[in-house]
């Protein structure tokens, strides 16, 4: 009896079965991934700390980086209209050496534009004129008002200039005993007393003047040394409307002021301002009267010479000769009279009338006997 053998399997059937088994198994493998190994808690904390430090370093580095600054337009580009014209004219004058004119043009441009950078130009023009007090004031304003228009380099340069200029100026504190007095230095008005702050002045000879109506003008000159501070104490003195008069005359002459005797020979004293009458008199001399004008706080000297009054009568020579003649004649007559008196007094007793003759000489007779 014949036996049936099992049919042989095709080779491709085994390959197909393998492919299907893989396809089925694949979704299961994707849905359930293999478990990861758990890290210790300490390791996790250390890792977190490192991450935080790294983040902090990055933040610090970013903070240290300068923020981008918006570019500032150059001064010549930012100015317009009349301000730009004045600025350009100022530059031409500066190059030409007219620093006073350049400063005025820069000042005009600043008034029109209000750009603080023009203060630096004004300071440069003042520096060329050696007005260091003005340079200091302008550069300090430049730093205070510059704002975002100045770079760090601009500010550093300005501060360096301020330090140098301070060695060339002096600070003067002015105190005045009267409020409302006008204070000037070298003819420039600074303001009225009391001043709120010291005055900064360029070193060298400076002339101070303080004045107020009703008071004498105060003036004083000082030589200021750079880098110093001084105090000037001003005492204003009220004006008294009077002056001084000195009269010089001869030692025996009388001096009168406005009719009042004030001295003899010479006199000096105070008189109220205005017109006064000076009269000088002397014995045998012509009086002299003069109108004198006395001014406030002024001294005046008057020298007075009086004229002699001519005497009435003959000249001195004739008077002298006449006196001599009278002396001689009178003496002779006196001698004759004395002789006659002596004769009658001492005549002899025997002499009689007959010894005498009539005559014209008193007592109407003349002795005949000798």
């Amino acid at each position: 009896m014949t036996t049936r053998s099992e049919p042989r399997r095709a080779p491709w059937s085994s390959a197909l079965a393998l492919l299907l088994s893989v396809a089925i198994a694949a979704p299961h493998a994707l849905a359930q991934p293999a478990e990861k190994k758990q890290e210790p808690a300490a390791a996790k904390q250390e890792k977190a700390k490192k991450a935080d430090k790294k983040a902090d370093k990055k933040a610090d580095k970013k903070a240290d980086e300068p923020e981008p600054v918006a570019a500032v337009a150059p001064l010549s580009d930012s100015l317009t209209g009349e301000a730009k014209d004045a600025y350009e004219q100022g530059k031409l004058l500066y190059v030409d050496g007219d620093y006073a004119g350049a400063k005025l043009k820069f000042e005009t441009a600043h008034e029109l534009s209000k750009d603080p950078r023009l203060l630096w130009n004004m300071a440069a023009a003042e520096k060329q004129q050696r007005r260091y007090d003005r340079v200091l004031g302008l550069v300090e304003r430049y730093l205070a008002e510059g704002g975002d228009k100045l770079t760090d380099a601009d500010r550093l340069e300005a501060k360096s200039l301020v330090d140098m200029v301070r060695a060339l100026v002096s600070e003067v504190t002015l105190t005045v005993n009267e409020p409302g007095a006008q204070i000037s230095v070298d003819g420039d008005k600074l303001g009225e007393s009391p001043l709120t702050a010291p005055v900064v002045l360029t070193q060298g000879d400076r002339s101070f003047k303080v004045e107020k109506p009703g008071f004498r003008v105060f003036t004083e000159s000082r030589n200021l040394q750079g880098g110093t501070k001084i105090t000037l104490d001003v005492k204003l003195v009220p004006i008294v409307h009077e002056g001084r008069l000195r009269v010089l005359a001869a030692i025996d002459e009388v001096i009168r002021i406005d009719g009042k005797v004030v001295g003899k020979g010479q006199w000096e004293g105070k008189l109220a301002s205005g017109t006064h009458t000076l009269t000088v008199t002397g014995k045998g001399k012509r009086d002299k009267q003069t109108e004198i004008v006395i001014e406030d706080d002024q001294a005046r000297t008057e020298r007075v010479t009086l004229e002699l009054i001519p005497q009435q009568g003959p000249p001195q020579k004739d008077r002298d000769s006449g006196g001599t003649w009278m002396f001689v004649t009178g003496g002779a007559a006196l001698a004759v009279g004395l002789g006659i008196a002596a004769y009658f007094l001492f005549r002899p007793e025997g002499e009689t009338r007959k010894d005498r003759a009539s005559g014209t000489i008193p007592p109407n007779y003349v002795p005949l006997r000798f």
Side-chain angles (χ1 to χ4, degrees):
M1 177 173 159
T2 304
T3 308
R4 296 179 64 183
S5 60
E6 294 180 0
R8 296 179 59 184
R9 296 182 178 180
W12 52 269
S13 60
S14 299
L16 180 59
L18 179 62
L19 181 60
L20 290 173
S21 62
V22 171
I24 294 171
H28 181 74
L30 293 175
Q32 296 182 7
E35 291 185 1
K36 293 183 180 180
K37 188 177 179 180
Q38 296 291 328
E39 290 183 347
K44 289 183 177 181
Q45 292 178 357
E46 184 65 23
K47 190 175 182 180
K49 288 181 179 179
K50 289 182 179 180
D52 292 341
K53 288 182 179 180
K54 187 176 182 180
D56 291 341
K57 287 182 180 180
K58 186 180 291 186
D60 293 340
K61 184 177 180 181
K62 187 175 182 180
D64 292 338
E65 293 179 356
E67 295 182 0
V69 179
V72 178
L75 184 59
S76 57
D77 295 339
S78 61
L79 296 176
T80 59
E82 294 182 5
K84 184 177 180 64
D85 292 342
Y87 169 70
E88 296 296 341
Q89 293 168 10
K91 288 197 300 181
L92 291 175
L93 291 172
Y94 188 92
V95 173
D96 196 45
D98 184 359
Y99 303 115
K103 191 260 181 178
L104 291 175
K105 290 299 181 180
F106 291 144
E107 192 172 35
T108 299
H110 177 260
E111 291 176 354
L112 294 172
S113 67
K114 307 303 180 184
D115 193 312
R117 290 174 292 181
L118 286 162
L119 295 170
W120 182 265
N121 295 49
M122 293 160 61
E126 294 288 11
K127 179 177 178 293
Q128 295 296 336
Q129 300 175 77
R130 293 177 174 79
R131 296 173 177 173
Y132 302 115
D133 51 348
R134 299 184 182 183
V135 173
L136 183 61
L138 289 168
V139 175
E140 288 179 338
R141 285 185 59 193
Y142 170 79
L143 286 169
E145 302 174 14
D148 58 2
K149 291 184 179 295
L150 306 184
T151 64
D152 292 340
D154 292 336
R155 293 185 179 278
L156 184 62
E157 184 181 4
K159 290 178 181 179
S160 177
L161 180 60
V162 167
D163 293 338
M164 288 188 294
V165 172
R166 284 194 182 280
L168 304 175
V169 299
S170 179
E171 287 189 7
V172 181
T173 301
L174 278 159
T175 61
V176 185
N177 63 329
E178 286 291 329
Q182 183 66 53
I183 301 173
S184 304
V185 178
D186 298 333
D188 296 330
K189 294 183 179 180
L190 298 181
E192 293 187 348
S193 61
L195 297 178
T196 57
V199 180
V200 178
L201 299 172
T202 302
Q203 64 183 5
D205 293 329
R206 303 272 79 84
S207 178
F208 297 87
K209 183 178 181 179
V210 183
E211 53 189 337
K212 182 180 180 180
F215 293 83
R216 295 181 184 175
V217 177
F218 172 91
T219 57
E220 184 172 327
S221 296
R222 288 284 188 96
N223 183 271
L224 304 181
Q225 301 297 321
T228 60
K229 297 180 180 181
I230 68 169
T231 299
L232 184 59
D233 190 15
V234 178
K235 300 291 186 183
L236 293 180
V237 179
I239 294 176
V240 178
H241 296 288
E242 64 181 17
R244 296 189 67 85
L245 175 64
R246 185 184 183 195
V247 182
L248 301 176
I251 191 171
D252 60 341
E253 295 172 354
V254 178
I255 302 170
R256 290 178 174 84
I257 302 292
D258 298 330
K260 180 181 178 181
V261 176
V262 294
K264 196 173 184 180
Q266 67 176 5
W267 176 83
E268 182 176 0
K270 295 180 179 180
L271 292 175
S273 299
T275 303
H276 298 270
T277 302
L278 168 64
T279 306
V280 179
T281 60
K283 188 175 181 180
K285 302 176 182 179
R286 298 186 186 279
D287 298 347
K288 187 171 184 178
Q289 183 171 300
T290 308
E291 298 297 318
I292 303 295
V293 177
I294 302 298
E295 298 180 357
D296 291 348
D297 200 29
Q298 297 294 317
R300 179 170 179 172
T301 299
E302 286 291 321
R303 298 178 182 274
V304 181
T305 302
L306 300 183
E307 297 180 1
L308 292 173
I309 299 175
Q311 295 184 1
Q312 300 296 328
Q316 184 68 30
K317 182 177 180 180
D318 295 342
R319 292 200 302 271
D320 292 345
S321 61
T324 301
W325 181 84
M326 292 295 293
F327 175 78
V328 173
T329 305
L334 179 62
V336 173
L338 290 174
I340 294 173
Y343 168 77
F344 285 105
L345 182 62
F346 298 105
R347 68 178 178 175
E349 294 180 359
E351 185 177 345
T352 60
R353 179 76 177 177
K354 65 182 180 179
D355 296 327
R356 295 177 293 178
S358 298
T360 59
I361 300 175
N364 299 323
Y365 62 87
V366 178
L368 300 178
R369 187 177 59 84
F370 296 93

